[in-house]
Amino acid sequence: MDLDALHAALCGARWEAPGGDELARDVALALATHLGAKAIELGLGDSTAILVRTEASSVVERVPVAAPPEARLLARPRSGWGRSRRDRTGAELGATRCFVAPLPARHTSAYVVVWLGRSKHSSAALGEALECLTPSLGLLVDAHALLHRVARLSRHAHSDNRRLRRDLRQSLGLDEPTQSPAMRRCLDRAQAVAPYDTPVLVTGPSGAGKELVARRIHALSARADGPFVQVNCGAIPEGLVESELFGHERGAFTGAVSMHRGLFERAAAGTLLLDEVAELSPASQVKLLRVLQEGTFSRVGAESPLRSDARVIAATHRDLGSLVEKGAFREDLFYRLAVFEVQVPGLHERLEDLPRLVRQLVDRIAVRMGRPAPAIPAAVLDRLVAHDWPGNVRQLENLLEAALVMSPGVELELPHLARRTGSIATPRHTVEPLEDAIRRCIESALASTGGKLYGPGGAALRLGLEPSTLQSKMRKLGIDRRRFID
């Protein structure tokens, strides 16, 4: 009995073919050639096993699974084979012995049954040889199971990818033309700049859809298959900006228990959206400018620099030009970010698209609520078009969600929306932004103290702040105390 030749024959089994039929046929032929096997039954973890009769031109047959409890070689009883399915198979084949064994496969439950005829080899030798072969058979079955599990997952992934891309195109409106001239100009500019890695500044009022425009640019670019990473710059604590943007090494500072990949690194081969970029402090603006100029960055605590391969899109609802004039935003960073500007119009400038937006938002909210989407009467659309929408699309979405909650019927109702324009929570008084108020207080204190920060009569004492806290706020707001020194 040449076990090396038998191993070599098993190594040539076609385990990569789908279904497992070719694998079972090749194993059966190898065992028939070297051990005189009349048939094999190979279980691959499915609901049926594969039966191959080597004396019948290797015909493949599907049979019910019946896995054995342990490896053993059974001799034909003197009274003949019994009445079980396997016994009947042995009787039909004229088999004198039957070897059954589970296969040591890690990724599926598998077994093998081998029917043997008369042989010059003893039962002990045959049993030992078959037990030696079970590890090799287990590896073949494992390879088959893993390959086809990967293939199945790949098919599912491709299906999910197509579905997600279709949903993304629908959510971004890539397949639906806009009726608004203002929005058409916005989308035309976005489409024009999308194929290039040119930095883009997306501007527009809060809630107008700046993030969706940035995602649209990413989806239409050559980086569409890469990641889209976004961050709200105003939500990053001042002391963590460098770590969040560029990452840090383990032990770089207290609490850095592991290596952290920053946003620029995670957005490699993709797009990084810096939302509310105007909220970055002057120190953070310097760090960001260095990356845009040199194209490299370093993790905190690292010695070697990394190459930046992320396209940068910045977004803001503030007028960066006026902030540059006030000294609150670096002029050189502004010109680096605003290479190409895309302005998103407010909802009041694109009322032609409002019926389509309402229908899309109602359908989306209804799916999230798990209820049928109600019909939208023409009177409701007229009342929505008559509003000036200071909160833009975000306000519209919130209003429609509240309306769906209060509309149990088949039609959408707006009981809390008055007919006259501007009746929905329109602010009656102009409210000064908090940062502007803080800047005004600090500048007033500096003007009254002649630029003095510390000690009696200093601006810190007058404002009730620690001097270090006052200096931190001044750096964040871009206030230069030298302007107030007599």
Side-chain angles (χ1 to χ4, degrees), residues 380-394:
V380 169
L381 284 177
D382 291 341
R383 294 167 63 188
L384 293 173
V385 171
H387 188 56
D388 57 359
W389 300 109
N392 297 294
V393 180
R394 184 180 298 124

Side-chain angles (χ1 to χ4, degrees), residues 305-317:
L306 299 172
R307 187 74 184 170
S308 173
D309 185 28
R311 179 187 191 170
V312 175
I313 299 179
T316 181
H317 71 281

Side-chain angles (χ1 to χ4, degrees), residues 35-329:
L35 296 181
K38 291 178 171 291
I40 73 160
E41 179 183 324
L42 188 62
L44 298 177
D46 300 326
S47 58
T48 58
I50 304 171
L51 176 64
V52 182
R53 303 171 188 265
T54 58
E55 295 181 348
S57 302
S58 302
V59 174
V60 174
E61 179 185 348
R62 295 284 173 170
V63 295
V65 168
E70 58 184 13
R72 54 185 173 171
L73 181 65
L74 303 174
R76 180 177 60 190
R78 290 185 178 181
S79 58
W81 294 106
R83 302 184 63 180
S84 68
R85 177 179 60 79
R86 286 179 182 159
D87 287 342
R88 291 197 305 271
T89 302
E92 293 172 5
L93 296 169
T96 59
R97 282 161 291 195
C98 178
F99 176 79
V100 293
L103 296 179
R106 298 177 55 188
H107 301 283
T108 185
S109 58
Y111 69 89
V112 66
V113 181
V114 183
W115 286 273
L116 301 162
R118 296 186 182 277
S119 173
K120 61 182 180 179
H121 304 292
S122 66
S123 295
L126 287 172
E128 184 178 352
L130 288 168
E131 287 186 10
C132 290
L133 294 174
T134 54
S136 299
L137 289 174
L139 289 175
L140 286 172
V141 171
D142 247 351
H144 177 272
L146 284 176
L147 178 68
H148 293 287
R149 181 182 298 179
V150 169
R152 183 174 64 256
L153 292 175
S154 178
R155 289 193 298 271
H156 291 170
H158 283 296
S159 176
D160 291 344
N161 186 45
R162 287 192 297 270
R163 178 179 55 81
L164 291 173
R165 284 181 176 276
R166 183 178 63 252
D167 294 345
L168 180 61
R169 292 184 67 87
Q170 291 176 353
S171 65
L172 297 178
L174 296 180
D175 300 322
E176 298 184 13
T178 177
Q179 303 298 321
S180 163
M183 196 61 189
R184 184 70 267 162
R185 288 192 296 271
C186 168
L187 297 183
D188 286 345
R189 289 183 64 82
Q191 185 169 354
V193 76
Y196 312 105
D197 283 346
T198 304
V200 180
L201 177 64
V202 182
T203 60
S206 294
K210 296 186 292 295
E211 179 191 337
L212 287 179
V213 171
R215 286 185 179 274
R216 184 186 182 98
I217 294 173
H218 172 74
L220 294 173
S221 71
R223 297 172 174 262
D225 292 333
F228 180 87
V229 180
Q230 67 178 103
V231 59
N232 189 323
C233 298
I236 308 176
E238 174 62 25
L240 297 178
V241 171
E242 191 172 3
S243 174
E244 283 297 312
L245 291 180
F246 313 126
H248 62 252
E249 295 289 345
R250 179 180 180 182
F253 49 84
T254 303
V257 296
S258 62
M259 189 273 287
H260 170 69
R261 296 169 64 240
L263 296 171
F264 271 92
E265 195 171 350
R266 296 205 297 268
T271 302
L272 175 61
L273 172 61
L274 300 174
D275 200 7
E276 301 300 342
V277 70
E279 308 306 320
L280 286 174
S281 67
S284 301
Q285 294 176 29
V286 173
K287 297 180 176 68
L288 178 59
L289 177 63
R290 186 179 302 117
V291 179
L292 298 179
Q293 286 179 334
E294 301 174 4
T296 60
F297 64 94
S298 297
R299 300 193 194 111
V300 179
E303 297 181 357
S304 57
L306 299 172
R307 187 74 184 170
S308 173
D309 185 28
R311 179 187 191 170
V312 175
I313 299 179
T316 181
H317 71 281
R318 304 179 65 179
D319 185 355
L320 287 186
S322 64
L323 292 180
V324 170
E325 293 177 359
K326 295 177 182 178
F329 199 84

Side-chain angles (χ1 to χ4, degrees), residues 1 37 93 125 139 156 201 214 224 234 259 289 298-299 301 309 331 371 382 396 407 415 419 465-466 471 473 486:
M1 177 185 318
L93 296 169
L139 289 175
H156 291 170
L201 177 64
M259 189 273 287
L289 177 63
S298 297
R299 300 193 194 111
D309 185 28
E331 184 177 15
R371 56 162 292 181
D382 291 341
L396 174 63
S407 303
R419 294 181 179 277
L465 299 173
E466 292 292 333
Q471 285 183 311
K473 292 182 178 295
D486 297 333

Side-chain angles (χ1 to χ4, degrees), residues 451-464:
K452 181 179 179 182
L453 295 178
Y454 305 95
L461 185 63
R462 293 194 177 192
L463 293 172

